[in-house]
């Protein structure tokens, strides 16, 4: 009973502090710990329903995962609709509630086809190329891939297997290489890993959702650093959902509950909250994120069914 009481108090505190974080004047909340930003544009593709993640192709096109509609929607960088691909099903080129996406340097588009427990690969025009199941071991649940990350080093493809609390590493042709993680709260383990990102040194960042942190690893799965901790004031994370690294090495993390994006150093030092005129910039359920070649931050706002493109100060 005492544990239940402490849990209730923690929940009550979270809601009260969250309310303060959302609504108190900036001078009382942020203490000048801001990263200034300006909105470049907002893109709302027609018919999109609760998008989750995005990637940017070589020509600047934006690939948005519209998982509820079992498709990927592609717009130009300015927001003009180009095409879409995919439909519901389990056949090649069909999806069952996909969540994550990444685009390799050679233009191949990798999709975490979550409900079908597999990865599907397309060319830049949305033409199906091949697919492969995510590796599972005896005793594991069916793979629950929620994001995918392609890097040039050894052609590795990292898959966040949410239900098995691991990162499964394959070759980009589907050959299994190794895995790391496992259920737990200690460093190097996960409770429901989510979106992935990489920096210029091929270091991998994993959103460790229920542990309210981002973990950083070398490309072979060796732990390097922990970024963020539970909290509902600046520098804390309540429900982290997205991570992206800009061209200066700063790590940006979206918090879907707090409706904000925060910046950290690559070893976890808090830099500031993404702000507008000294006050927290509001995002509507921010999830997947990516930076483009101009170092502009693209944020998926799930409930607003849009992409917000933001210029952040250096």
């Amino acid at each position: 009973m005492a544990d239940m009481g402490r849990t209730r108090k923690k929940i009550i505190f979270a809601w009260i502090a969250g309310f303060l974080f959302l609504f108190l004047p900036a001078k009382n909340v942020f203490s000048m710990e801001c990263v200034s930003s300006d909105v470049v544009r907002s893109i709302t593709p027609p018919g999109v329903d609760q998008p989750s993640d995005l990637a940017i192709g070589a020509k600047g096109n934006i690939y948005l995962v519209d998982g509820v509609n079992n498709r990927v929607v592609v717009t130009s960088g300015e927001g003009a609709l180009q095409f879409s691909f995919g439909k519901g099903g389990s056949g090649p080129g069909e999806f069952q509630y996909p969540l994550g996406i990444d685009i390799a340097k050679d233009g191949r588009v990798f999709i975490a086809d979550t409900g079908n427990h597999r990865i599907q690969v397309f060319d830049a025009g949305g033409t199906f190329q091949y697919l492969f199941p995510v590796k599972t071991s005896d005793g594991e649940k069916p793979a629950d891939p929620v994001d995918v990350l392609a890097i040039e080093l050894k052609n590795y493809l990292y898959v966040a297997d949410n239900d098995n609390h691991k990162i499964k590493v394959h070759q980009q042709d589907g050959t299994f290489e190794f895995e790391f993680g496992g259920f737990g709260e200690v460093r190097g383990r996960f409770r429901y890993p989510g979106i992935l990102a990489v920096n210029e040194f091929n270091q991998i960042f994993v959103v460790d959702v229920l542990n309210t942190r981002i973990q950083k690893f070398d490309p072979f799965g060796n732990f390097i650093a922990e970024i963020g901790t539970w909290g509902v004031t600046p520098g804390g994370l309540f429900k982290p959902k997205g991570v992206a690294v800009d061209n200066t090495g700063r790590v940006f993390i979206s918090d879907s509950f707090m409706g904000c994006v925060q910046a950290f150093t690559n070893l976890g030092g808090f830099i500031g909250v993404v702000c507008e005129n000294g006050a927290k910039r509001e995002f509507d359920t921010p999830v997947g994120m990516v930076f483009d070649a101009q170092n502009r931050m693209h944020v998926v706002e799930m409930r607003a069914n849009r992409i917000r493109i933001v210029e952040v100060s250096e």
Side-chain angles (χ1 to χ4, degrees), residues 100-177:
I101 185 172
D102 197 26
I103 299 178
K105 291 293 185 181
D106 63 9
R108 284 179 294 172
V109 181
F110 291 84
I111 307 292
D113 186 6
T114 309
N116 284 320
H117 317 294
R118 66 190 184 187
I119 304 302
Q120 293 204 67
V121 188
F122 301 80
D123 68 16
T127 299
F128 172 79
Q129 301 295 296
Y130 58 95
L131 60 81
F132 58 89
V134 177
K135 170 73 173 179
T136 55
S137 303
D138 291 342
E140 288 189 330
K141 298 177 182 178
D144 184 36
V146 296
D147 199 22
V148 63
L149 175 69
I151 70 171
E152 289 187 275
L153 178 69
K154 296 183 178 294
N155 284 319
Y156 279 163
L157 187 76
Y158 298 80
V159 180
D161 185 349
N162 188 261
D163 280 354
N164 290 306
H165 313 284
K166 292 180 179 179
I167 306 302
K168 308 285 183 69
V169 185
H170 298 69
Q171 288 283 314
Q172 292 177 19
D173 65 3
T175 304
F176 179 74
E177 289 288 330

Side-chain angles (χ1 to χ4, degrees), residues 180-239:
F180 58 95
F183 183 79
E185 299 181 16
V186 300
R187 292 174 172 179
R189 288 185 171 266
F190 307 107
R191 290 195 297 166
Y192 301 100
I195 283 180
L196 309 170
V198 64
N199 65 13
E200 62 178 321
F201 305 109
N202 291 313
Q203 294 168 333
I204 310 302
F205 298 80
V206 183
V207 178
D208 188 5
V209 177
L210 203 57
N211 284 326
T212 61
R213 64 188 177 187
I214 275 59
Q215 294 198 66
K216 178 183 177 182
F217 300 86
D218 74 14
F220 308 105
N222 298 303
F223 175 85
I224 297 175
E226 180 180 68
I227 301 174
T229 187
W230 185 90
V232 289
T233 55
L237 303 173
F238 190 83
K239 191 178 284 187

Side-chain angles (χ1 to χ4, degrees), residues 211-278:
N211 284 326
T212 61
R213 64 188 177 187
I214 275 59
Q215 294 198 66
K216 178 183 177 182
F217 300 86
D218 74 14
F220 308 105
N222 298 303
F223 175 85
I224 297 175
E226 180 180 68
I227 301 174
T229 187
W230 185 90
V232 289
T233 55
L237 303 173
F238 190 83
K239 191 178 284 187
K241 283 298 180 70
V243 62
V245 182
D246 78 351
N247 65 13
T248 71
R250 294 178 297 179
V251 181
F252 288 77
I253 303 169
S254 64
D255 192 311
S256 65
F257 178 81
M258 302 306 300
C260 68
V261 175
Q262 302 187 72
F264 297 79
T265 69
N266 65 58
L267 289 177
F270 177 61
I271 297 172
V273 179
V274 173
C275 290
E276 176 185 16
N277 299 322

